[in-house]
Amino acid sequence: MANHLTGGCYCGGVRYRLDGPRRDIIGCHCSQCRKTSGHFAAMTSVPKGKLTLLSDKTLTWFQSSESVRRGFCNRCGGNLFFDPAEKPTISVTAGTLDLPTGLRMTRHIFVEDRSDYYDIPAD
């Protein structure tokens, strides 16, 4: 895996770099991720100090709960970051990463909160 990955939102107003190892992709089906992504959120994560914002001119933070803020682009609406205050890591939406990522989807969480229009295979 490359030492760093880059990514950004659709319009390019937010660009970032992730340094060092990343967690493989987790699909989160919680109600907040459903509402902010339009389906479920596929995310990797890195230690907060390993995320470098290369451009943040359109980055806006939304306090989605008492302990979590979410970063998105205020121009194109791109869902970018999930930042839990009490954790040393920040999650980054996998779809905003530049290819190739070298990452794999490894599991799904909060599947009991998924919408009723799809199933997740048991395996």
Side-chain angles (χ1 to χ4, degrees):
M1 183 181 298
N3 192 38
H4 72 272
L5 290 176
T6 57
C9 65
Y10 182 67
C11 72
V14 179
R15 293 287 303 161
Y16 61 82
R17 185 180 71 235
L18 306 178
D19 292 303
R22 280 79 51 190
R23 182 195 69 210
D24 274 328
I25 307 300
I26 292 175
C28 182
H29 300 263
C30 78
S31 61
Q32 284 189 14
C33 284
R34 281 191 298 111
K35 296 289 185 177
T36 59
S37 72
H39 185 46
F40 71 89
M43 297 188 157
T44 185
S45 69
V46 295
K48 290 179 181 178
K50 299 296 184 177
L51 167 67
T52 302
L53 293 172
L54 304 173
S55 173
D56 65 353
K57 60 186 169 194
T58 60
L59 179 61
T60 297
W61 291 98
F62 170 68
Q63 196 73 36
S64 60
S65 70
E66 204 172 285
S67 62
V68 173
R69 66 182 186 151
R70 294 170 183 268
F72 68 96
C73 174
N74 63 37
R75 184 168 46 209
C76 70
N79 179 14
L80 296 154
F81 308 116
F82 175 87
D83 185 17
E86 74 284 353
K87 289 192 176 181
T89 58
I90 186 167
S91 293
V92 179
T93 53
T96 65
L97 292 166
D98 297 330
L99 299 177
T101 68
L103 301 172
R104 296 289 173 256
M105 177 83 74
T106 57
R107 65 186 171 118
H108 294 267
I109 60 174
F110 298 107
V111 295
E112 64 278 359
D113 293 339
R114 78 183 193 291
S115 191
D116 61 355
Y117 60 85
Y118 68 100
D119 291 316
I120 299 172
D123 61 348

